[in-house]
């Protein structure tokens, strides 16, 4: 018979599992091919953790904090950025991102693009409502992907999770 656990305990267990996955990904990066990082070291490596929850200090943030802790233990710098507290519009297919080098829609996305571009990897944390991530998170990912693709395809080869 399965033992019942509280929501807080479940978050802690899931966070630990996510953190172990992140740490093993870092080890794979550090030991990986020269072509991925250009060096076999986690020194000066940074990972951006994206909190897509409207609750800045909720369960999603707790999970990301656990992942960040494990990354730090493995010598990887990390930063959690909050995108879930404001609306993120969907792509309007205007084609301006190629000319501007950023998205023409004026919301928080453009502030985060340089951080994600310079990082070696990024991890998305999002609450799941009705079987999928929040719509704002999906909008963020789609628009970020479009800007990156038409401006040198800078997401290609970047580690994500």
């Amino acid at each position: 018979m399965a033992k019942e656990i509280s929501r807080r305990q479940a978050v802690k267990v899931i966070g630990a599992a996510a953190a172990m996955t992140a740490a093993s990904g870092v080890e794979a990066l550090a030991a990986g091919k020269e072509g991925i990082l250009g060096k076999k070291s986690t020194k000066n490596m940074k990972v951006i953790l994206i909190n897509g929850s409207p609750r800045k200090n909720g369960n999603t943030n707790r999970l990301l904090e656990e992942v960040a802790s494990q990354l730090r233990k493995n010598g990887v710098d990390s930063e959690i950025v909050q995108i879930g507290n404001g609306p993120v519009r969907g792509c309007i297919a205007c084609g301006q991102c190629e000319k501007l080098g950023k998205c023409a829609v004026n919301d928080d996305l453009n502030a985060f693009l340089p951080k994600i571009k310079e990082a070696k990897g990024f991890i998305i944390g999002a609450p799941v409502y009705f079987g999928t991530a929040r719509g704002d998170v999906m909008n963020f990912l789609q628009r970020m992907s479009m800007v990156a693709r038409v401006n040198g395809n800078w997401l290609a080869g970047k580690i994500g999770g």
Side-chain angles (χ1 to χ4, degrees), residues 107-157:
D107 59 20
D108 289 343
L109 174 78
N110 288 321
F112 300 125
L113 292 179
K115 291 180 180 193
I116 296 168
K117 185 176 181 179
E118 83 176 34
K120 294 294 183 190
F122 65 96
I123 297 172
I124 310 287
V128 175
Y129 302 142
F130 307 106
T132 188
R134 288 173 33 99
D136 290 355
V137 174
M138 300 306 292
N139 288 344
F140 181 91
L141 290 172
Q142 290 170 355
R143 286 180 41 221
M144 175 187 64
S145 297
M146 177 60 82
V147 171
R149 188 172 49 120
V150 300
N151 290 284
N153 205 21
W154 53 259
L155 278 178

Side-chain angles (χ1 to χ4, degrees), residues 39-115:
K39 58 186 176 204
K40 292 184 178 185
S41 169
T42 58
K43 187 176 181 179
N44 298 323
M45 187 186 301
K46 184 165 188 174
V47 174
I48 300 296
L49 304 160
I50 300 169
N51 184 353
S53 173
R55 296 182 179 138
K56 186 175 181 177
N57 295 310
N59 291 333
T60 301
N61 191 66
R62 287 187 191 118
L63 292 171
L64 292 173
E65 289 286 351
E66 184 65 33
V67 172
S69 171
Q70 291 300 315
L71 290 170
R72 282 190 297 277
K73 285 180 185 175
N74 284 275
V76 177
D77 187 24
S78 63
E79 178 184 354
I80 298 175
V81 296
Q82 175 74 26
I83 67 163
N85 55 355
V88 179
R89 289 185 54 196
C91 179
I92 60 172
C94 67
Q96 295 297 307
C97 51
E98 189 169 12
K99 295 175 189 169
L100 299 173
K102 63 181 185 174
C103 186
V105 176
N106 192 17
D107 59 20
D108 289 343
L109 174 78
N110 288 321
F112 300 125
L113 292 179
K115 291 180 180 193

Side-chain angles (χ1 to χ4, degrees), residues 19-37:
M20 288 189 305
T21 302
S24 66
V26 168
E27 289 173 17
L29 279 174
K33 297 179 181 177
E34 293 279 334
I36 295 174
L37 296 176

